[in-house]
Amino acid sequence: MIGVYDSGVGGLSVWRELYRIMPEQDYIYVADGAHCPYGTKPIEFIISRADAITRFFLSKGAEVVVIACNTATAAAVDYLRGKYSIPFVGMEPAIKPAALASKSGVVGVLATANTFKGSLYNNTLEKFASNVKVIEKVGTGLVECVESGNTEGEEVDALLHRYVDEMKSEKADAIVLGCTHYPFLEGAISRIAGEGVRIFNPAPAVALQTKRIIESLDSPKSSNSRYLFFSTGDTKIMRSIVSQIDPILSDCVFETVVID
Ligand code: DGL
C-alpha cells in the first residue's frame, strides 16, 4: 500500500505516473482539501498536517509515503524521515534537467512562495543552476484554478501571462513546474510559452524512484489492486480528474474524511 498526498488534487499529477508504471500496487491518496493551499501557510502548520496524514496512512497499512507536493516536501520531508521508519519519497524541483537542456541559458521556474523559501529548492539551485539565469515566479492563483477544475480559459491565461511573459521576453527555453498542480495547466503553459520552450515536470522521475523503493521492500503483491481516494474537503474535482486519468477508475472509493 502506497500513501500519496498533496494539499489538494495537484498530487494526482504524480499519482497518474505511479498508476501508469505500477498499476498493480494498492494506493491511498489524500487531498488535504480543507487546508489547501499550503503555498503561503506557516511551515509548522504544514509539518503538523504531514504528521497527521502520515498517521492516517499508517493506520491504513501504508508502507511507503509519496509526498506529492513540492511545498510539503520542502517543509516536512526531513521531519517525517526523522520521526517514522517507513520510506518517504519527496518532490525534487526539476532544475537539473532543465539547466542541462537549456540552450539559451535561461530557465523559468514556477512554484509556490514556500517552495522558493525552502532549503531544498535553494540547495538544488546552488548545485545545478550556477551556469544559467533563473527566473522565479510564484504562481499565485494557479492552485485555486486547478482546485476548481479550471485548467483552460481566460482566467488561467491571464494569470499565466503574468508569470510566463517575462520568462519569454528573457528568452527562457525551459520552464520547471515546481508545484504538482501545474502539470494540469501544461497545455496552457506550453501554448503561452510558445514553440521551442520545454516544460519540465519531475513527476515521472518521482514515480520511478518510488518503484525502485517498492522493489527493494519486496513485500507480497496484492491479488486485487485497490485505489482509495480521500479528501479532507470536497471530492468532486478529484473524482473528475481521476476519471480523466482512466475512465475505469470512476468506480473507486472517493470519500471525505477528517484527519487530525
Ligand atoms: N501541489 C503543491 C505543491 O506542489 C501545493 C500547492 C499549494 O497547496 O499551495 O507545491
Side-chain angles (χ1 to χ4, degrees):
M1 172 72 85
I2 306 175
V4 183
Y5 92 94
D6 176 46
S7 63
V9 293
L12 291 170
S13 68
V14 179
W15 188 86
R16 76 179 164 194
E17 300 299 331
L18 292 163
Y19 173 67
R20 198 168 57 78
I21 63 170
M22 293 185 287
E24 72 286 1
Q25 293 295 326
D26 291 340
Y27 293 95
I28 173 165
Y29 183 91
V30 168
D32 198 8
H35 303 103
C36 187
Y38 281 176
T40 47
K41 296 250 171 25
I43 302 302
E44 299 69 36
F45 177 78
I46 300 169
I47 292 177
S48 77
R49 294 309 298 153
D51 208 6
I53 294 166
T54 300
R55 278 186 266 118
F56 177 75
F57 283 145
L58 291 174
S59 75
K60 300 280 182 194
E63 291 154 291
V64 175
V65 171
V66 180
I67 310 169
C69 174
N70 295 71
T71 311
T73 302
V77 71
D78 291 342
Y79 169 87
L80 293 170
R81 287 183 179 144
K83 179 164 178 182
Y84 298 97
S85 57
I86 58 163
F88 289 88
V89 184
M91 300 304 298
E92 291 272 345
I95 301 286
K96 185 181 174 185
L100 285 173
S102 173
K103 291 197 174 69
S104 66
V106 185
V107 170
V109 184
L110 260 180
T112 68
N114 275 339
T115 295
F116 283 130
K117 272 190 245 159
S119 55
L120 177 69
Y121 172 76
N122 287 294
N123 292 342
T124 311
L125 210 59
E126 216 171 277
K127 251 187 171 152
F128 302 114
S130 51
N131 293 330
V132 291
K133 176 172 176 185
V134 176
I135 299 170
E136 297 171 352
K137 291 285 169 193
V138 173
T140 305
L142 297 177
V143 166
E144 287 82 349
C145 285
V146 175
E147 286 295 318
S148 56
N150 188 6
T151 54
E152 281 284 352
E154 273 175 36
E155 192 190 347
V156 170
D157 281 8
L159 285 172
L160 286 175
H161 275 296
R162 261 198 242 163
Y163 312 133
V164 175
D165 284 357
E166 189 187 322
M167 297 179 185
K168 226 171 133 175
S169 63
E170 293 283 333
K171 309 255 180 304
D173 59 356
I175 296 181
V176 174
L177 304 182
C179 167
T180 55
H181 281 74
Y182 303 163
F184 293 116
L185 303 171
E186 192 170 338
I189 295 171
S190 275
R191 177 169 42 74
I192 287 172
E195 262 175 50
V197 178
R198 275 181 68 188
I199 310 287
F200 289 82
N201 170 14
V206 169
L208 272 178
Q209 170 63 3
T210 309
K211 187 167 192 260
R212 280 193 283 270
I213 290 175
I214 295 291
E215 283 164 358
S216 74
L217 292 179
D218 204 25
S219 40
K221 298 255 172 317
S222 67
S223 49
N224 211 342
S225 302
R226 284 175 308 148
Y227 315 126
L228 310 171
F229 298 91
F230 293 101
S231 177
T232 58
D234 194 73
T235 60
K236 195 169 149 244
I237 299 297
M238 180 160 73
R239 183 190 286 267
S240 128
I241 293 177
V242 169
S243 310
Q244 282 166 38
I245 293 172
D246 186 343
I248 63 165
L249 299 170
S250 55
D251 292 335
C252 290
V253 169
F254 294 89
E255 250 176 57
T256 296
V257 279
V258 174
I259 301 178
D260 280 323

